[in-house]
Amino acid sequence: MAVVAVVGLAISGCSIGSKVNGRAEPSPGPLPTLRDYEAQRVEWAPCGWPREADCGEIRVPVDYVHPEAAAITMPLVRLRATDPGQRIGVLTVNPGGPGESGYEHVLSALAPEDTGLRKFRIRYDLVGFDPRGVGRTAPVRCLSDRAMDEYLATDFTPVDEAGRRLVADAHRRYATACLRNTGSLLGFVGTESVVRDMDVMRSALGEAKLNFFGFSYGTRIGQLYAEQFPDRVGRMVLDSIDDPSLTPDRWDAPDTPDGPPPPGELAPRDRLVRTMLDACAKRTDCPVGNDPEAAMQRLRDLIARVDAAPIPASDGRRVGSNLALLGIFQATYDERYWPRFESAFADALRGDGTGLAELADRYVGRERGRYSSSDPAFWSVECLSDDPSGWRSKPEDVILGELAREAEWAAARSPLFGANRVFSTPLCLFWPVRPTQESEGVDAAGAPPILLLNNSGDLATPVEDAENVAATLADAVLVISEHDGHIAFDNGSACVDAAVVAYLYDGVLPADGTRCTD
């Protein structure tokens, strides 16, 4: 396929451009200006497979401050509207993460099962893309597959200074590998760059307005696009709202706590696991028994046991506490994973960690022993969204001491996940690249109304965050679905689905504050 040619130059010794004999080489052409990028037009050609899809690509500058320096290629996929006479325009999507593939998400509309997107293909061309650093678009590279397995086998519930040093070493190896294998592109994969890429894409598609459906982290992209380009927003739906004003949860532990943490209500994830066990216990065939309290205690005992002595999985890995907890954590995202959790839990009690490892693989993007770019992309984006002035402002021993105190407080509220989450998720404290965008809310003044969706029981993007975003945006309508789990659209509520269809097809918004109870 052909597009307007622009240059791709070397970045930290790694060329970004076409491949010649398996090696990345600079693309020929004059040094472009930003206007050259915006003047591109996508030239579509049949993908070959799937036969219904068209493929194209655009080029975007690595650094929008210096667009002449280097470029990357962003592949695009299109499914044309099935009713061209009623075509509205182009609808682009982002399924979240950060790190999920919008390219693959669009192709899911061709799957035998209806993924929800299919209904919009009647009157929209669906166009998918992978944000920079993800999948097909200059993916971030960090650890090898084997090294990633070793990283995830780390004991992230250290009990002493030596254990905490091992945790720091593991995070440092991960972060250092990202810079070594990705080069200086690592500093240019933040949301602010993705938003600029989307506007170049809009222009290259020949669209005056961007129609956009974003999920989870995709809602952050949508908000920031509307903030920067309010006059270029078409119809925008944001599902499961990521509040850009928030920094990562630190469990509200004080810097210098006086004594042990006070007792309190269990954290939502632990409560949800108990709900999962309650639901299982109501069935006569529950594989972990009909006493949910006893099952919860067996689960905690299991985590302590595999922490001390990991159990085998069928692929040869050893499943310790971190991999087991990742598997359980993945199951809390969607009720459809609950049966897999039940059987995995029962198998683990018998000494087989295969099921928990497979659930964990879903969470970290591992398939058949190979890792996708989803986990590296997640951290690469997250670590650029923080206060630049606070980057590496504390010595490592101070950081580890603070994490130890946080872990004590976290374990009091979340006996299952707390301490592990505190020590397994501070990768940004060791990140080799300075943050580029401080967390702050946006109002997107001047943009047309934005339709917001959120489940009332969503633990990944809590409804309180959606309410805060709805109050901050200048013009937004919030629909709350009385459901648990992550993602409201195409997830069991006809009320939610009808609201989305009415807006994307006819521009008709529901009443603000609508609550869907079906």
Side-chain angles (χ1 to χ4, degrees):
M1 70 225 57
V3 296
V4 174
V6 293
V7 73
L9 299 180
I11 297 181
S12 293
C14 177
S15 297
I16 298 178
S18 59
K19 287 188 176 180
V20 179
N21 297 325
R23 295 183 296 110
E25 297 288 348
S27 299
L31 293 177
T33 66
L34 187 56
R35 182 171 295 181
D36 292 323
Y37 289 103
E38 294 171 341
Q40 295 177 86
R41 291 295 179 266
V42 182
E43 295 187 10
W44 296 105
C47 294
W49 187 92
R51 63 181 179 81
E52 300 96 330
D54 297 323
C55 288
E57 61 185 32
I58 60 172
R59 301 277 281 169
V60 294
V62 170
D63 179 1
Y64 277 89
V65 176
H66 302 286
E68 75 286 352
I72 54 177
T73 298
M74 177 187 290
L76 307 176
V77 66
R78 177 182 69 176
L79 300 179
R80 283 176 285 183
T82 56
D83 187 351
Q86 298 295 315
R87 181 182 178 276
I88 296 171
V90 171
L91 178 65
T92 61
V93 298
N94 183 280
E100 297 301 312
S101 170
Y103 192 108
E104 295 295 334
H105 191 57
V106 160
L107 290 179
S108 74
L110 299 175
E113 65 277 6
D114 185 0
T115 62
L117 283 183
R118 185 179 303 165
K119 58 176 60 71
F120 300 115
R121 191 188 167 198
I122 300 170
R123 299 182 62 192
Y124 282 101
D125 292 348
L126 300 182
V127 172
F129 69 101
D130 291 346
R132 57 173 60 203
V134 176
R136 294 168 172 80
T137 307
V140 171
R141 305 291 187 188
C142 294
L143 296 170
S144 68
D145 295 326
R146 177 176 292 182
M148 189 66 178
D149 280 344
E150 293 172 354
Y151 172 76
L152 294 174
T154 301
D155 180 2
F156 287 117
T157 54
V159 296
D160 55 23
E161 179 66 19
R164 291 191 285 272
R165 291 290 177 190
L166 291 175
V167 166
D169 290 343
H171 287 318
R172 192 182 301 104
R173 283 194 298 272
Y174 190 126
T176 301
C178 293
L179 183 59
R180 181 177 63 250
N181 294 323
T182 303
S184 60
L185 175 65
L186 193 65
F188 296 95
V189 295
T191 308
E192 71 278 10
S193 296
V194 174
V195 164
R196 298 292 299 272
D197 294 346
M198 287 172 59
D199 198 57
V200 171
M201 177 180 66
R202 175 202 58 78
S203 177
L205 291 169
E207 296 289 303
K209 306 282 186 179
L210 180 78
N211 302 308
F212 180 71
F213 198 163
F215 301 84
S216 197
Y217 168 72
T219 70
R220 179 181 295 233
I221 294 174
Q223 292 171 69
L224 294 180
Y225 184 90
E227 175 78 355
Q228 185 158 357
F229 304 107
D231 59 330
R232 301 174 191 176
V233 175
R235 294 174 185 172
M236 181 175 287
V237 180
L238 305 180
D239 184 346
S240 304
I241 308 302
D242 180 5
D243 185 349
S245 71
L246 298 180
T247 54
D249 181 17
R250 305 304 292 174
W251 294 95
D252 299 322
D255 289 338
T256 56
D258 295 325
E265 186 180 14
L266 280 180
R269 291 280 179 186
D270 287 59
R271 295 202 306 270
L272 182 53
V273 172
R274 174 58 189 265
T275 298
M276 293 158 61
L277 295 173
D278 284 342
C280 184
K282 293 175 181 177
R283 305 194 323 267
T284 57
D285 63 343
C286 177
V288 294
N290 302 110
D291 183 343
E293 187 64 37
M296 190 69 169
Q297 187 58 52
R298 284 200 300 275
L299 186 60
R300 292 171 183 167
D301 292 343
L302 171 69
I303 297 304
R305 190 162 63 249
V306 302
D307 186 58
I311 58 177
S314 60
D315 62 3
R317 282 180 293 170
R318 308 291 294 182
V319 178
S321 59
N322 185 57
L323 212 57
L325 287 169
L326 285 175
I328 301 167
F329 200 79
Q330 171 64 24
T332 65
Y333 269 86
D334 195 315
E335 192 170 343
R336 287 171 287 195
Y337 288 115
W338 292 10
R340 293 176 62 180
F341 159 72
E342 294 167 6
S343 60
F345 179 16
D347 289 344
L349 290 173
R350 294 189 290 269
D352 180 1
T354 302
L356 288 175
E358 289 175 347
L359 280 169
D361 288 348
R362 174 75 179 177
Y363 187 80
V364 298
R366 184 183 189 271
E367 186 175 3
R368 298 186 181 90
R370 302 295 302 274
Y371 287 88
S372 72
S373 63
S374 63
D375 195 74
F378 176 88
W379 290 113
S380 299
V381 174
E382 286 293 291
C383 294
L384 292 183
S385 300
D386 206 348
D387 180 6
S389 66
W391 181 66
R392 292 189 170 181
S393 60
K394 297 178 181 178
E396 187 172 294
D397 59 341
V398 173
I399 290 172
L400 293 177
E402 290 180 354
L403 291 176
R405 290 192 292 273
E406 288 183 21
E408 184 181 5
W409 281 68
R413 292 198 60 223
S414 176
L416 193 59
F417 299 110
N420 172 272
R421 297 298 289 177
V422 166
F423 277 104
S424 66
T425 59
L427 188 57
C428 296
L429 296 175
F430 303 88
W431 204 245
V433 177
R434 183 183 297 276
T436 56
Q437 187 171 50
E438 190 167 359
S439 300
E440 58 182 352
V442 300
D443 62 10
I450 299 173
L451 178 57
L452 309 178
L453 315 171
N454 220 92
N455 285 336
S456 60
D458 190 337
L459 300 186
T461 53
V463 69
E464 294 82 7
D465 295 354
E467 291 168 341
N468 184 55
V469 168
T472 304
L473 287 172
D475 196 351
V477 170
L478 174 61
V479 173
I480 297 174
S481 179
E482 299 291 349
H483 282 75
D484 294 330
H486 194 44
I487 306 301
F489 176 71
D490 192 40
N491 204 12
S493 173
C495 166
V496 167
D497 295 354
V500 175
V501 171
Y503 184 52
L504 286 180
Y505 272 179
D506 302 315
V508 177
L509 284 163
D512 189 26
T514 295
R515 299 188 80 93
C516 292
T517 58
D518 63 340

